Amino acid sequence: MRKITTATFVSLDGVMQAPGGPQEDPVGGFEFGGWTFHYWDDVGGAFIGETFAKPFALLLGRKTYDIFAAHWPYQKDDPIADRFNAVTKYVATHRPDTLSWQNSQSLGDDVVATLRQLKQEDGPDLLIQGSSELIQTLLANDLIDEISLLTFPLVLGKGKRLFGSGAIPAAFKLNRSQASTTGVIIASYERGGEIKTGSFAQQQPSEAEIERRKNWK
């Protein structure tokens, strides 16, 4: 079986829009494109290198696909470009006839059904890059197995977020974590089953607590 994984750059308030540059994705009047630039160091670079060293196929939404297709095929002597150009790209798109980047495949009309089928097949894991809208679909359908977050020490206020209101509640287990020299927290999580709840409340609530509960709305 194949896993669906994601390696995502996020701010402290969960924004993932346009980490790479001002012209990457200014949709919605987003003003901070390129917000990751000044935080890169050898620690972050090593993590990205390790991620791309494993066998993978790319899983992309159409907007991220277009950003990548206009960039990576034109980079020379770049190991990431070599990897991205060579691997299979699975794309959520309504315009499959316009997928011009080599080794690109449309996920078809039913993205969820196609991905469920792909997960049952043999092959490399499916790695999501960017693709905030596609991620919302995957989270709503419980399709993401592992999440790697690179959390940058800044608050962006508005923008496209990793976790939207449609995400299915789920527990995750921390596999690894480290901090870069610039304050980026790198953490990888895998699915950890269902959410378990408990209570720190007293077994016998006070009269004040009982009264408080009566006023719940």
Side-chain angles (χ1 to χ4, degrees), residues 127-170:
L127 174 64
I128 309 165
Q129 293 282 279
S131 308
S132 61
E133 293 181 15
L134 176 59
I135 283 177
Q136 304 313 306
T137 298
L138 300 181
L139 289 171
N141 288 276
D142 198 21
L143 283 170
I144 297 182
D145 301 291
E146 296 181 4
I147 297 175
S148 292
L149 296 181
L150 287 80
T151 304
F152 289 71
L154 72 174
V155 173
L156 295 173
K158 67 175 184 177
K160 298 176 182 178
R161 282 174 160 76
L162 174 60
F163 294 107
S165 59
I168 291 178

Side-chain angles (χ1 to χ4, degrees), residues 115-135:
L115 288 175
R116 292 194 193 283
Q117 180 179 340
L118 285 172
K119 288 185 70 173
Q120 297 301 315
E121 298 176 356
D122 294 329
D125 288 343
L126 306 173
L127 174 64
I128 309 165
Q129 293 282 279
S131 308
S132 61
E133 293 181 15
L134 176 59
I135 283 177

Side-chain angles (χ1 to χ4, degrees), residues 47-57 83 87 124-125 127 146 148 176 188:
F47 176 81
I48 294 300
E50 179 183 328
T51 299
F52 295 153
K54 304 172 185 175
F56 67 90
R83 289 286 283 154
V87 302
D125 288 343
L127 174 64
E146 296 181 4
S148 292
R176 62 179 286 185
S188 297

